[in-house]
Amino acid sequence: MEIDKSILDKVNVWLTPVFDNETHTSLQEMMASSPKELEDSFYKNLEFGTGGMRGIMGPGTNRINKYTLGKATQGLSDYLKKSFPSEELKVAIAYDCRHNSDTLAKTVADVFSANGIKVFLFSDLRPTPELSFAVKHLSCHAGIVLTASHNPPEYNGYKVYWQDGGQLVPPQDKEVIDVIEALEYGQINFNANENLIEYIGEVMDNAFIRSSLINASFNTPQEAKDALKIVYTPLHGTSVTLIPDLLEDAGYSNVNIVAEQAKPDGDFPTVKSPNPEEPEALSMAIALADEVNADIVIGTDPDSDRLGVAVRNGNGIMTLLNGNQTMVLMTHFLLEQWKKQGKIDGKQFVGSTIVSTPMMMELASAYGVECKVGLTGFKWIAKMIKDFPEQEFIGGGEESFGFMVGDAVRDKDAVTSTLLLCEIAAQAKANASSLYQELLKLFVEFGFYKEYLISITKKGMEGAAEINNMMIQMREKPLTEINGQRVLMVEDYKASTAKNLLNGEEETLTLPKSDVLIYYLEDGTKICARPSGTEPKIKFYFSVNAPLDDVTNFKAVEASLDKKIKNITEEMNLV
């Protein structure tokens, strides 16, 4: 294939002496044998999405490498100096188990130190939530974690945190990006000042564990803890550095770790995808749970911010819960504990997102607590805490298997959430119940909400264009009826409009602009379309609901909701 001139112009810049010989060699090989790969490596610059900057590793502007990360770090260094001109600047850096994460983290530390900024660098891999905690604990101005979360092995990423321990949000995000984009690669200062780099580890681990114990322990009797049988897998990731110690310190001794997945490994050899959202990822853990007759399975993704959960259903069979279900269980438990302690006085809130279950609103309302709803991504929930200091944050989550307990960590936190789920499960079992039964009780009390996700992958430049065209079509030809139900409202977060299709009236949405469409149907169904901010995917979220008068009718009502989802997805040509 013929390579576009605009691509070749970018490649030629990367063949100058600013870039090392290894980069030159890789690019020359791609030019000769892989023009398609070369095009994908340079057709755009890596962008900051819902979870920071994430991409395939390799040379090029659309790849994760020492130069794209070096440029981002140089820009962030310049921005920090401008933002805090009279302060001694400090940053914290962590990294996960992925290939090159340790060397890329050191490169980032080198650039910060070369710019006169004090660096606290973790001496070995650590979970992302510990980085968020460390930023606040060490009074840093910013933080970086090198991770691609649950993406495939060829990916890595770069997430930026601000003083509050939350990820960059407006206006800082755009301001930082503008500084980065204005830089030339030759302006990156890679000459480290080793005197400004301090390695951290065990002391910070202990502080984080203490914080998790404070936030997620709720007077569970020791005999209840002893009776709970747990299977845990880190899926070859970072959580193995903290979760076993946390559970032991909390008094949970009956913990069975999946041995084959206990060692950190960036190839993730035992799973197709190290994503707890994927049922296959927990198959080995479920097999071990059946072998030891465990009550609960918990698996965390490589950087330990997401967790997947399986529990025994009414027939004793291990059943996977989705992110909305675990979020509802944890939120209800926290609300109930705060109520028992007399801590709810109308000044508290929980957090959720526009693509998560509407059941969160029902829970919050029942306890006289506000439910704030933001865009997808935990940076928006962290921003809620910062924007409303007069209110207390109880907890919050999103459908993509993330949850945050209290405000010590300002990002989704599978470490603390693991302990919280064990507390809920242990207390339920002690009361002759289970997590599964507790969930059914919530459906009876607040309504049976059933969610479903379809994720369509479209890789490369053509894939990005295809996803964009799908969104354009849905905007230009909006659906007015789905599965025999009228569409009452369409929210377009890119246009910041909420249009009532019955009377034509429009309202302005107050959340920041985002490429998201949400349909609300007259029977309470909610359908959302959203291109991923970190992966080459477009996601469709479905939420349907119905009353559940008694747990004995669960299967029948679930079957009717499943049929409704099937009809909707078929009508929308998504299956």
Side-chain angles (χ1 to χ4, degrees):
M1 63 174 280
E2 185 177 345
I3 303 172
D4 188 90
K5 184 181 181 300
S6 63
I7 300 289
L8 286 176
D9 288 343
K10 291 183 180 181
V11 173
N12 286 329
V13 172
W14 281 61
L15 290 172
T16 63
V18 169
F19 300 86
D20 60 26
N21 290 332
E22 184 181 351
T23 298
H24 293 171
T25 300
S26 295
L27 291 177
Q28 288 160 354
E29 289 175 354
M30 270 197 278
M31 290 177 74
S33 60
S34 304
K36 181 70 176 171
E37 183 183 354
L38 187 76
E39 180 185 71
D40 194 55
S41 299
F42 281 95
Y43 83 91
K44 67 173 183 176
N45 293 343
L46 277 180
E47 300 169 348
F48 280 84
T50 51
M53 192 165 66
R54 204 179 294 177
I56 295 170
M57 290 178 278
T61 60
N62 188 34
R63 294 289 185 259
I64 292 288
N65 52 66
K66 65 179 288 188
Y67 298 104
T68 51
L69 297 194
K71 187 178 177 183
T73 306
Q74 183 64 53
L76 182 57
S77 298
D78 294 344
Y79 183 80
L80 286 168
K81 288 179 179 180
K82 182 180 177 181
S83 301
F84 307 100
S86 59
E87 297 184 32
E88 180 185 349
L89 297 173
K90 297 184 291 184
V91 299
I93 302 172
Y95 59 91
D96 69 3
C97 60
R98 288 181 176 271
H99 299 304
N100 304 315
S101 279
D102 53 352
T103 54
L104 289 171
K106 181 58 168 63
T107 296
V108 171
D110 289 348
V111 175
F112 277 129
S113 68
N115 283 275
I117 297 172
K118 169 73 176 180
V119 178
F120 296 99
L121 175 62
F122 277 95
S123 57
D124 203 347
L125 75 172
R126 289 297 190 281
T128 289
E130 186 172 2
L131 183 279
S132 172
F133 175 83
V135 169
K136 288 179 63 187
H137 191 75
L138 296 170
S139 301
C140 291
H141 297 82
I144 302 291
V145 63
L146 280 299
T147 177
S149 187
H150 57 279
N151 282 54
E154 63 270 23
Y155 280 75
N156 215 317
Y158 180 93
K159 291 171 73 171
V160 183
Y161 293 77
W162 206 237
Q163 281 180 298
D164 65 328
Q167 291 182 57
L168 276 183
V169 292
Q172 282 86 10
D173 55 357
K174 187 179 185 306
E175 292 170 357
V176 170
I177 290 167
D178 288 345
V179 173
I180 293 169
E181 291 297 325
L183 286 172
E184 300 292 337
Y185 287 100
Q187 295 176 273
I188 305 168
N189 189 348
F190 287 110
N191 298 314
N193 180 349
E194 297 292 346
N195 293 326
L196 289 177
I197 301 176
E198 179 181 337
Y199 290 89
I200 59 175
E202 186 178 355
V203 173
M204 190 57 58
D205 295 343
N206 292 336
F208 182 43
I209 287 173
R210 283 196 302 273
S211 173
S212 295
L213 286 168
I214 291 169
N215 281 289
S217 297
F218 291 93
N219 301 313
T220 303
Q222 186 58 50
E223 57 268 27
K225 295 178 182 181
D226 292 339
L228 187 70
K229 294 181 180 179
I230 304 164
V231 164
Y232 150 71
T233 175
L235 295 176
H236 305 288
T238 61
S239 66
V240 75
T241 63
L242 279 183
I243 285 180
D245 290 340
L246 172 62
L247 292 178
E248 183 179 357
D249 289 355
Y252 290 92
S253 57
N254 203 341
V255 180
N256 301 270
I257 302 175
V258 179
E260 299 90 337
Q261 298 175 331
K263 184 179 179 181
D265 188 334
D267 286 325
F268 314 112
T270 66
V271 292
K272 292 178 182 176
S273 169
N275 184 357
E277 291 181 88
E278 302 290 341
E280 182 269 340
L282 294 186
S283 59
M284 292 182 74
I286 290 174
L288 178 59
D290 287 336
E291 185 181 320
V292 300
N293 194 30
D295 301 296
I296 184 171
V297 166
I298 297 176
T300 57
D301 69 343
D303 70 325
S304 194
D305 59 359
R306 300 174 185 229
L307 75 167
V309 180
V311 296
R312 298 206 178 276
N313 66 15
N315 297 319
I317 298 170
M318 270 291 166
T319 302
L320 293 165
L321 302 182
N322 63 41
N324 286 298
Q325 292 168 339
T326 55
M327 172 172 60
V328 163
L329 280 164
M330 288 188 278
T331 301
H332 177 262
F333 183 83
L334 289 174
L335 287 168
E336 187 65 21
Q337 296 301 314
W338 278 59
K339 179 182 178 182
K340 286 179 180 177
Q341 296 169 21
K343 293 164 60 176
I344 294 179
D345 59 8
K347 297 179 181 179
Q348 292 72 36
F349 76 96
V350 295
S352 185
T353 70
I354 57 175
V355 300
S356 300
T357 177
M359 190 172 173
M360 286 288 285
M361 307 291 288
E362 302 296 328
L363 286 174
S365 176
Y367 283 85
V369 168
E370 182 183 0
C371 180
K372 297 183 188 294
V373 179
L375 296 177
T376 305
F378 261 74
K379 62 185 179 183
W380 301 109
I381 295 179
K383 188 176 186 294
M384 295 171 189
I385 301 172
K386 185 165 60 173
D387 289 348
F388 299 93
E390 72 281 2
Q391 290 181 270
E392 291 180 282
F393 177 71
I394 294 174
E398 62 180 6
E399 56 75 39
S400 60
F401 289 61
F403 198 81
M404 187 160 64
V405 187
D407 64 359
V409 172
R410 302 291 175 91
D411 203 351
K412 49 186 177 286
D413 176 6
V415 178
T416 311
S417 298
T418 291
L419 175 57
L420 176 61
L421 275 167
C422 290
E423 290 282 283
I424 303 170
Q427 291 190 21
K429 186 176 183 180
N431 292 320
S433 182
S434 68
L435 273 182
Y436 186 80
Q437 289 172 294
E438 292 302 304
L439 180 63
L440 299 194
K441 291 177 188 175
L442 294 182
F443 288 155
V444 170
E445 186 173 356
F446 300 101
F448 186 175
Y449 286 78
K450 184 79 185 275
E451 278 75 33
Y452 185 69
L453 171 68
I454 291 178
S455 183
I456 302 171
T457 299
K458 301 284 185 181
K459 293 185 177 180
M461 187 164 63
E462 290 85 358
E466 201 172 337
I467 288 172
N468 186 50
N469 286 334
M470 291 173 74
M471 294 300 292
I472 289 172
Q473 288 297 311
M474 282 186 283
R475 287 189 167 92
E476 292 181 349
K477 299 176 181 178
L479 298 169
T480 57
E481 184 178 296
I482 304 172
N483 192 35
Q485 296 291 318
R486 291 179 300 174
V487 178
L488 301 182
M489 178 83 69
V490 178
E491 293 178 343
D492 186 342
Y493 285 84
K494 193 171 186 178
S496 296
T497 59
K499 185 174 182 178
N500 186 317
L501 298 192
L502 299 187
N503 58 26
E505 293 181 0
E506 278 192 5
E507 296 180 6
T508 300
L509 297 172
T510 58
L511 293 180
K513 289 182 182 296
S514 184
D515 193 7
V516 180
L517 279 172
I518 301 181
Y519 293 87
Y520 295 92
L521 278 56
E522 58 186 335
D523 64 351
T525 296
K526 175 182 170 185
I527 302 168
C528 172
R530 182 185 76 89
S532 172
T534 53
E535 300 173 271
K537 294 179 177 180
I538 182 169
K539 296 183 176 183
F540 294 88
Y541 306 80
F542 305 88
S543 178
V544 295
N545 66 85
L548 180 64
D549 58 354
D550 189 271
V551 294
T552 57
N553 295 323
F554 171 75
K555 286 297 182 184
V557 176
E558 182 178 43
S560 69
L561 293 178
D562 285 340
K563 184 178 180 181
K564 180 180 287 189
I565 291 171
K566 183 174 183 291
N567 291 342
I568 292 170
T569 56
E570 287 178 350
E571 187 172 319
M572 293 179 69
N573 296 314
L574 294 174
V575 291

